[in-house]
Amino acid sequence: MRIQSMTNTDTVDAVGTAIQVKELALAGSEMVRITVNNDEAARAVPYIREQLDRMGIDVPLVGDFHYNGHRLLADHPDCASALSKYRINPGNVGRGDKRDKQFLQMVETAARLNKAIRIGVNWGSLDQDLLARMMDENTRRSTPWDAKHVMYEALISSALDSAHQAVDAGLPADQIILSCKVSGVQDLVTVYQQLAQRSRFALHLGLTEAGMGTKGTVASAAALAILLQQGIGDTIRVSLTPEPGEARTQEVVVASEILQSLGLRSFVPSVTACPGCGRTTSTTFQELAKQIDDFLRNSMPVWRTRYPGVESMKVAVMGCIVNGPGESKHADIGISLPGTGEAPAAPVYIDGEKRLTLRGDDIAREFQTVVENYIQQRFGGKS
């Protein structure tokens, strides 16, 4: 299971786009999609790849094509070569007689250059000719399907028909990935369950236009968790609308946390922290939990190579004696801060045993030092 994200920069701005791709990659995105919508953007793609290579960022680039991808790939061979994958939307590749011709032009380019393609169907841009034909066929059924059922079938048929066309044109099946994106949780689950039953192609999961803030996060987690738990999906993207001032990397953080919460992969050491209650005397445990979580997450770009295995580490930052010692013992390293009426002492547990007790006004800094020393001692000799 791999995480994908997408830039929101103007691709013509090669420097700005390369910087955002780097940020997404360092946050944990394992492939990054960029918009290729005109000649200027297509000309910028090789320079973006070149700058990323200079920075030591080897993340694959996926070109997002709509309407004119066949022409852009043909007219800009350096762009076609610099990309690792082409995203093709069957609903936006052409109408009528032009559709098959233009779709196959892109497939043939991918086959010739040994590139992968994602056939990405979206209910907001579904092939209208196909949908109209299926609606007509539905009216002739003795028991017509409801409109939503027809839409599901149109999404799946569009993806599968296009995939089989690509295979017939010479592109290996293992270089094809399918997606059928919708914006409703139950709709997404239904479509992908049916698609998985009818296809052996790799599948890309994502709730399209998920929204912003908690709405987008919760909806994406709800939909993807159901499918991932059933073993459906090979790549995922969480399509969040960034809140004002929010980093684009937030969608990568959410995607990685979904996979890590399900136990499918580990990306960053996890921090267990209590929510707080009347027993907690201050916000110290909240501040310490945030400080440790930020420290671990921000350190991961370097630690991935320096401390292999550190991503599976568990840290506990607890606020009182009720669950504090127990959770701390279950973690690799944990601290139980004093709550209401408790002695002003914070026992620290390492590998299930109480090793030391911190006191005073500098507990946060001292505990972070303990965590750093633990990481160096446990994971430092594995590279």
Side-chain angles (χ1 to χ4, degrees), residues 41-298:
R43 280 193 287 267
V45 170
Y47 295 102
I48 295 168
R49 179 72 272 166
E50 180 181 336
Q51 290 180 65
L52 291 169
D53 291 342
R54 287 177 178 174
M55 293 187 287
I57 305 297
D58 61 357
V59 64
L61 293 177
V62 182
D64 191 60
F65 295 99
H66 297 272
Y67 311 111
N68 58 356
H70 60 292
R71 184 184 63 77
L72 293 176
L73 288 173
D75 292 351
H76 300 279
D78 289 346
C79 168
S81 297
L83 295 169
S84 296
K85 182 191 291 185
Y86 311 148
R87 189 274 178 137
I88 307 173
N89 183 338
N92 291 339
V93 77
R95 300 294 300 272
D97 295 339
K98 293 182 178 180
R99 182 214 172 273
D100 289 349
K101 178 182 178 182
Q102 293 174 177
F103 173 76
L104 290 174
Q105 280 183 255
M106 300 180 74
V107 170
E108 287 162 2
T109 300
R112 176 169 49 82
L113 298 177
N114 195 30
K115 306 293 184 178
I117 66 169
R118 172 159 72 91
I119 297 171
V121 183
N122 192 302
W123 74 342
S125 52
L126 189 55
D127 184 335
Q128 293 303 300
D129 293 337
L130 173 64
L131 183 59
R133 184 172 70 251
M134 294 188 71
M135 285 291 189
D136 289 341
E137 292 172 356
N138 189 52
T139 62
R140 294 192 291 272
R141 297 178 188 275
S142 57
T143 305
W145 296 342
D146 61 38
K148 183 171 284 191
H149 190 165
V150 178
M151 188 269 291
Y152 291 163
E153 184 61 28
L155 286 165
I156 295 168
S157 294
S158 179
L160 292 178
D161 290 349
S162 297
H164 293 310
Q165 271 190 300
V167 171
D168 290 343
L171 190 66
D174 62 2
Q175 289 178 218
I176 298 171
I177 189 165
L178 306 183
S179 65
C180 289
K181 290 190 175 183
V182 296
S183 57
V185 171
Q186 297 295 351
D187 295 323
L188 190 82
V189 171
T190 300
V191 168
Y192 272 91
Q193 286 174 335
Q194 294 181 16
L195 182 60
Q197 290 174 355
R198 296 164 57 178
S199 165
R200 292 190 178 182
F201 293 102
L203 301 180
H204 172 76
L205 305 184
L207 189 72
T208 192
E209 292 100 31
M212 66 194 315
T214 55
K215 185 270 180 186
T217 299
V218 171
S220 293
L224 297 183
I226 293 171
L227 295 168
L228 292 168
Q229 191 68 17
Q230 296 174 7
I232 297 172
D234 298 277
T235 65
I236 67 168
R237 182 195 173 198
V238 174
S239 300
L240 293 182
T241 303
E243 299 211 25
E246 183 178 66
R248 184 67 167 181
T249 53
Q250 183 63 19
E251 68 174 50
V252 180
V253 173
V254 172
S256 63
E257 288 182 349
I258 291 171
L259 294 177
Q260 187 152 333
S261 295
L262 291 170
L264 298 175
R265 292 186 64 187
S266 294
F267 296 91
V268 65
S270 62
V271 177
T272 300
C274 66
C277 68
R279 288 179 175 272
T280 53
T281 56
S282 69
T283 60
T284 302
F285 77 96
Q286 298 168 332
E287 293 161 358
L288 180 55
K290 179 68 164 59
Q291 177 181 327
I292 293 297
D293 190 66
D294 289 346
F295 164 67
L296 296 172
R297 193 173 296 280
N298 293 336

Side-chain angles (χ1 to χ4, degrees), residues 294-313:
D294 289 346
F295 164 67
L296 296 172
R297 193 173 296 280
N298 293 336
S299 300
M300 277 308 294
V302 173
W303 286 355
R304 282 191 184 100
T305 54
R306 184 176 297 175
Y307 302 122
V310 69
E311 66 276 1
S312 63
M313 187 179 74

